[in-house]
Amino acid sequence: MTTAPSSSPIPVAVLVSGGGTNLQALLDAFRASTLARIARVVSSRAGARALERARRAGVPTMVLRDPDDADELVSALGDARLAVLAGYLKRVPPAAVARFRWRLINIHPALLPDFGGRGMYGRRVHEAVLSSGARASGATVHYVDEEFDRGPIIAQWPVPVQVGDTPESLAARVLEVEHRLLPLVVEELARRGVPEGPVRLSLRDSTFGIGDKLDENLLQDG
Ligand code: GRF
């Protein structure tokens, strides 16, 4: 069964633990959207800078008492049709994953299935990419399932690894495409009414790095 796209913007919850630059990209992208609105921001940490970004945008926030408590998490997500992990560093408890099957997505700063898994976050991801000798890295948006960074991939945006890259320079290049890919995926899922099964998208104009291209229609099936 497919869900017809609704006429009012779908409520989206964003889960955060840190700085929240991906959250900011979502807040900016959907400020006036008819497809999706950032309805709430849920943090695993009281001190997360992301919370400030949400407050500044007038979005309700909540700090989890115990991120391992599935009931608390599900109730924090409220009526969200889609929940987005954007720099959320805690494991989502399996009971919450089950409640949000195909409605819970994550962004990861590498081309999964490589360079993911428990403990692979932040600088460590980029260090691992550089020491592997990989020629490309990038951003991946995928469904969250019971294992870290293992759920089906929705979309990826590659960037080149350059000679002389440091973990910081590579992280910055990847982050730039994260900020474009995540809103695109959220928009596309919202446009489709957040389907009850997995969606796989690819960049229409597959390109290394960022072009000056329009952001519209950048994703297609496949
Ligand atoms: C991003 O690189 C994201 O891919 C990863 O954590 C980082 C969060 O950055 N999951 P921010 O909090 O969105 O600035």
Side-chain angles (χ1 to χ4, degrees):
M1 196 179 85
T2 52
T3 312
S6 53
S7 49
S8 51
I10 64 151
V12 175
V14 184
L15 285 95
V16 296
S17 300
T21 63
N22 278 290
L23 167 66
Q24 190 65 55
L26 293 170
L27 291 168
D28 294 345
F30 296 107
R31 188 162 290 134
S33 171
T34 54
L35 287 171
R37 74 186 163 86
I38 308 307
R40 53 183 71 212
V41 170
V42 177
S43 178
S44 63
R45 275 201 321 122
R49 175 125 189 269
L51 288 169
E52 235 176 277
R53 296 178 187 272
R55 288 184 201 118
R56 224 183 301 132
V59 175
T61 60
M62 154 145 203
V63 178
L64 295 170
R65 200 182 29 83
D66 175 9
D68 289 326
D69 180 342
D71 290 339
E72 187 193 9
L73 181 55
V74 167
S75 104
L77 296 177
D79 65 350
R81 290 278 306 284
L82 180 69
V84 180
L85 274 57
Y88 184 70
L89 296 177
K90 297 290 180 183
R91 181 164 173 268
V92 178
V97 172
R99 270 297 290 283
F100 272 77
R101 186 80 61 200
W102 310 124
R103 297 194 293 133
L104 188 58
I105 68 175
N106 178 47
I107 183 146
H108 184 78
L111 297 177
L112 293 175
D114 295 333
F115 310 112
R118 185 179 287 278
M120 282 298 260
Y121 60 86
R123 185 188 167 89
R124 280 190 230 169
V125 176
H126 306 293
E127 279 170 352
V129 171
L130 291 177
S131 58
S132 77
R135 310 266 308 270
S137 189
T140 301
V141 178
H142 66 96
Y143 291 100
V144 174
D145 69 5
E146 286 75 4
E147 299 212 34
F148 269 108
D149 301 328
R150 280 284 151 208
I153 290 168
I154 305 173
Q156 295 186 304
W157 190 321
V159 300
V161 173
Q162 285 169 3
V163 177
D165 258 339
T166 61
E168 289 72 26
S169 63
L170 181 57
R173 193 173 310 119
V174 172
L175 196 59
E176 215 175 326
V177 296
E178 288 185 48
H179 294 163
R180 299 185 71 183
L181 182 64
L182 188 57
L184 283 173
V185 169
V186 170
E187 185 178 5
E188 193 53 36
L189 292 176
R191 196 191 312 283
R192 295 168 186 227
V194 191
E196 290 173 15
V199 167
R200 182 73 161 95
L201 303 167
S202 61
L203 287 177
R204 194 177 288 278
D205 189 2
S206 174
T207 168
F208 271 60
I210 304 175
D212 309 317
K213 293 270 156 42
L214 55 161
D215 269 359
E216 286 145 41
N217 301 323
L218 218 54
L219 290 173
Q220 62 188 3
D221 287 289

